[in-house]
Amino acid sequence: MSVPFRYKKLAYAAVNVTDVKRSVEFYKNIVGLDLVDEFEEVAFFRCSKDHHNIVLCQSQEPGLKRVAFEVERDSDLESAFEYFDQSNMSPEWVEEKERKFYKQGKTFRVKEPVSGLTVELFSSITQMATEFVPTVAKIARLGHVVIGSKNFDSACESFVENFGFRISDFIEDRICFMRCFPNPFHHTFAVGPSSKNRLHHINFMVTDIDDVGKALYRLKKNDVKIVYGPGRHPPSNSVFIYFLDPDGTTLEYSFGMEEFPEVDAREPRMLEAVPESLDTWGAVPDPLFGVGGPIEEAL
């Protein structure tokens, strides 16, 4: 379903962690993000010129606090708020004090009703004076967020119908890959089935396939658990490796991804529900793969 506003990109993920200081060291030294600001209960990281692409939030249990998308223009933001308001989804503007803390312009949040995920939209964020400088990995961008939903089919339908996401590929009873139109990447968001609404994983796209290979040995050297890969995903054609952060949240590096044109894009494919549709190299996921904490039920 088309919506009266245009997305620019996946902007950031706010991740609940049980020990901010411990997680700061991991996301800085192992993942390779740039620490922008650190407070007692919140830490901001970037992998672009944006002020933040990952926000770590102190919590009693790990999980996903919210996901934010940047829209193309201020007018898109106003249209989006009106659209969600008229759809009786009760969007709420973020108060000035909080959005200034987050270095963002006008911002609102709205809850996706099936998964309970808080989705944030804004059209401007502080641009840092210097470019992001890669350290242990040449991270190009925050790639995508994947959640698990206890009502898989309904959640997929809701993100399409209520949020205007476009389906790129679908593996029956396994996963629905979606892009925030007209962003070209094969998926910026995805939903899979789960016994509860929870975070599945967060992805960082890298610019060199060697970053995936180097990560394999860096992770092993630092006793970081690898839970899937290396391998290659047939739907997006990306090479991947998945690993766990200190709270057991699954993170991913991936290299390469199909890009869609805005006009005359191919139709989504219905892929066979077999392991080979997720990895052509034959990797077997660890039982801890994608077993993330709950989606926070709050705006």
Side-chain angles (χ1 to χ4, degrees), residues 149-167:
S149 174
K150 60 185 179 181
N151 296 302
F152 172 57
D153 291 333
S154 296
C156 295
E157 182 179 355
S158 177
F159 280 106
V160 171
E161 295 296 321
N162 293 322
F163 289 85
F165 290 1
R166 303 286 177 92
I167 297 176

Side-chain angles (χ1 to χ4, degrees), residues 146-281:
V146 178
I147 66 168
S149 174
K150 60 185 179 181
N151 296 302
F152 172 57
D153 291 333
S154 296
C156 295
E157 182 179 355
S158 177
F159 280 106
V160 171
E161 295 296 321
N162 293 322
F163 289 85
F165 290 1
R166 303 286 177 92
I167 297 176
S168 299
D169 284 314
F170 187 87
I171 301 177
E172 188 174 12
D173 298 326
R174 294 287 184 88
I175 192 166
C176 180
F177 297 101
M178 292 176 275
R179 60 193 190 277
C180 56
F181 185 80
N183 185 283
F185 292 111
H186 179 275
H187 57 284
T188 46
F189 193 79
V191 180
S194 177
S195 59
K196 62 180 181 179
N197 296 326
R198 66 185 183 190
L199 173 61
H200 189 280
H201 74 267
I202 295 172
N203 164 274
F204 302 96
M205 295 177 66
V206 295
T207 62
D208 193 325
I209 194 171
D210 288 345
D211 287 315
V212 176
K214 289 178 180 179
L216 172 65
Y217 297 103
R218 183 174 70 258
L219 297 170
K220 287 184 175 181
K221 181 180 178 180
N222 288 277
D223 295 321
V224 176
K225 187 170 182 59
I226 297 168
V227 289
Y228 194 17
R232 183 185 290 276
H233 288 313
S236 60
N237 198 37
S238 58
V239 175
F240 66 84
I241 188 167
Y242 294 87
F243 54 98
L244 300 183
D245 82 352
D247 280 306
T249 295
T250 300
L251 305 178
E252 178 192 18
Y253 286 137
S254 67
F255 168 74
M257 178 170 280
E258 180 184 5
E259 296 186 29
F260 286 72
E262 182 173 342
V263 180
D264 295 328
R266 70 165 175 80
E267 291 297 313
R269 299 168 296 191
M270 176 72 78
L271 303 175
E272 185 182 6
V274 294
E276 292 79 7
S277 290
L278 289 172
D279 176 36
T280 58
W281 294 3

